[in-house]
Amino acid sequence: MRMLKFIMVAIAICIALPSFAQDIKPEEVKKEMKRVADWQIEHFGDTYSGRKEPHHPLAWTNGALYVGMVKWADLADDDTYWEWMKNIAIENDWKLHERMYHADDHTVGQMYIELYRKYGDKKMIAPTKEALRYIKFHPAQTSLHWVGNKNYKHDRWSWCDALFMSPPVWAKLYKETGDKMYLDFMMKEFKATTDFLFDKKEKLYYRDQSYMGKLDNGTKIFWGRGNGWVLAGLVNVMEELDPASKEYKYFLKIFKKMSAKLLEIQTEKGHWAMSLLGDEFYPTPETSGTAFYAFGLAWGINQGILDKEKYEPAVKKAWSALVSYVNEDGMLGYVQPIGAAPGKAWVDKTEVYGTGAFLSAGAEIYKMYKK
């Protein structure tokens, strides 16, 4: 009788656990992407993270949404999504956001360039080209140091999030124009940021200088979404470069190091902790960082960079977890609100950048299983 009870309990546990062994069906991935994309468009002007006002259409939050929405639009067989983005761009005269040097305000430029690739109108990228040319010939002279710097400004890529926001814009313009000045500027600044923020031992990025040397429950503080920004940014830059180039190889080396580390620290539930080295202290799921990691790892597999046998289980676990946090209406829950460090997330709170990350992940996972 005891043996029978033991067997019944074991069976119940196995049924309750997510099934990571089953193959992911590409059409199911598209179905989930559509649900999430459609919900987000319907609620574009709403707030689901405790904010009183919606984000400006050109803010980095929405810029990150558009990065993922472009990837979904490519798969959707429906120009509705392209037209939705184009209308936003037209309403804002194809301009970047307010601050000339701030990486966050460059993010929307990624969408403009993809719309230009879709529709072929050079007016779509003219303001972005003008802004980046100005920066190139009038570069910021500020330091990357935050601590003790009374004159500090966000004029250079001194926080790890910035590596998602601005570098892909420079890489895309380089590819479209062939003008090496865009590539040279990006490489110089990206290397400066990496030399400053990348922890060679842990193979992760500090969010900014203020977290160096600090501990959280005895562990170094490497923010989950922060490193997600970096990994996704690396992918979006490499997508624009010649794989045989020295520049591509520079980014690839960082990508491989981070990917190997992420494989080691993924939680059993499939997500990554908000404090990457302190999952026991941050057990709550967080979907934006997890989605960026799933996107990066799936891309690496699709490119033949990461060993599929080794990395595919991590992607499966991550996608299974992500889908489980999408509610019946299509809202992605457990997106950590805007921040700069490990914190809290809730099942009923979301943010537009979380949707963007989910759509990026879905696009690569769809390709992975469509082959």
Side-chain angles (χ1 to χ4, degrees):
M1 182 62 73
R2 286 184 178 179
M3 180 58 70
L4 179 59
K5 287 183 178 180
F6 175 80
I7 292 171
M8 293 300 292
V9 169
I11 291 172
I13 291 173
C14 290
I15 292 173
L17 288 172
S19 179
F20 301 129
Q22 295 179 357
D23 281 339
I24 294 172
K25 297 178 180 178
E27 292 309 313
E28 288 298 316
V29 174
K30 282 186 72 173
K31 181 180 177 181
E32 290 300 318
M33 292 177 71
K34 177 174 170 54
R35 289 205 312 124
V36 173
D38 289 349
W39 181 91
Q40 190 64 76
I41 289 173
E42 183 180 352
H43 296 275
F44 185 64
D46 300 336
T47 59
Y48 282 81
S49 61
R51 292 175 57 86
K52 294 182 179 180
E53 298 292 334
H55 304 291
H56 189 284
L58 303 186
W60 67 266
T61 45
N62 283 317
L65 166 64
Y66 307 145
V67 170
M69 193 67 74
V70 161
K71 298 179 192 302
W72 162 239
D74 248 354
L75 298 178
D77 303 318
D78 181 353
D79 277 359
T80 299
Y81 303 97
W82 286 112
E83 292 296 324
W84 179 75
M85 290 183 283
K86 187 169 73 168
N87 287 335
I88 291 171
I90 291 171
E91 289 171 3
N92 291 278
D93 298 320
W94 303 92
K95 294 179 180 178
L96 300 182
H97 204 21
E98 301 171 336
R99 298 163 293 185
M100 175 64 72
Y101 289 98
H102 203 300
D104 287 359
D105 290 1
H106 302 166
T107 316
V108 70
Q110 298 183 55
M111 177 181 76
Y112 295 155
I113 297 168
E114 293 301 328
L115 286 166
Y116 164 71
R117 289 171 171 173
K118 170 75 172 174
Y119 295 102
D121 187 345
K122 291 184 178 180
K123 293 179 182 178
M124 295 176 171
I125 59 172
T128 300
K129 288 175 64 177
E130 181 181 356
L132 267 57
R133 285 184 67 86
Y134 182 89
I135 294 170
K136 165 63 181 177
F137 291 110
H138 305 85
Q141 302 298 320
T142 51
S143 169
L144 297 176
H145 291 75
W146 290 28
V147 179
N149 186 354
K150 295 181 180 179
N151 299 317
Y152 174 75
K153 296 180 180 179
H154 288 77
D155 287 349
R156 294 178 67 201
W157 304 338
S158 55
W159 69 109
C160 72
D161 319 26
L163 298 182
F164 175 93
M165 309 298 173
S166 189
V169 183
W170 293 83
K172 288 174 185 290
L173 278 185
Y174 164 65
K175 187 171 183 178
E176 290 306 311
T177 66
D179 192 333
K180 202 165 181 291
M181 75 167 186
Y182 296 112
L183 179 65
D184 291 344
F185 181 90
M186 181 194 67
M187 294 304 299
K188 177 177 177 293
E189 291 299 303
F190 202 110
K191 286 181 177 179
T193 302
T194 295
D195 290 346
F196 190 51
L197 296 181
F198 189 65
D199 186 306
K200 294 181 179 178
K201 180 180 178 181
E202 303 296 348
K203 301 178 179 60
L204 297 168
Y205 281 75
Y206 289 101
R207 197 272 175 174
D208 58 65
Q209 186 195 13
S210 67
Y211 293 93
M212 295 178 183
K214 291 183 179 180
L215 297 178
D216 182 357
N217 292 294
T219 65
K220 293 180 181 179
I221 305 172
F222 294 108
W223 182 32
R225 183 165 67 241
N227 279 270
W229 289 126
V230 176
L231 194 76
L234 287 168
V235 169
N236 290 333
V237 167
M238 285 191 287
E239 279 278 88
E240 306 300 326
L241 303 179
D242 178 357
S245 68
K246 65 180 180 180
E247 291 85 4
Y248 181 95
K249 292 175 182 177
Y250 167 80
F251 294 114
L252 180 61
K253 187 175 181 180
I254 301 170
F255 174 79
K256 285 183 174 180
K257 288 179 179 180
M258 290 188 71
S259 297
K261 181 69 176 186
L262 291 167
L263 195 63
E264 294 176 9
I265 59 177
Q266 185 182 24
T267 69
E268 285 298 316
K269 292 182 179 179
H271 63 268
W272 279 266
M274 282 182 268
S275 183
L276 289 174
L277 302 185
D279 61 284
E280 62 183 299
F281 307 109
Y282 292 90
T284 304
E286 202 290 304
T287 52
S288 61
T290 294
F292 280 135
Y293 297 139
F295 163 62
L297 298 182
W299 179 86
I301 292 170
N302 289 340
Q303 297 296 314
I305 293 167
L306 301 179
D307 180 72
K308 184 175 182 179
E309 185 176 351
K310 184 177 180 180
Y311 283 89
E312 183 182 24
V315 174
K316 283 185 174 182
K317 286 172 65 176
W319 184 249
S320 179
L322 288 167
V323 170
S324 75
Y325 304 134
V326 177
N327 72 15
E328 61 183 11
D329 296 323
M331 188 195 84
L332 176 68
Y334 285 116
V335 179
Q336 185 187 3
I338 295 171
K344 295 182 179 180
W346 296 267
V347 67
D348 60 342
K349 286 185 170 55
T350 194
E351 267 288 7
V352 286
Y353 48 79
T355 297
F358 181 91
L359 295 175
S360 290
E364 284 301 320
I365 292 169
Y366 173 81
K367 294 173 187 175
M368 189 171 159
Y369 290 99
K370 187 64 176 177
K371 293 179 179 178

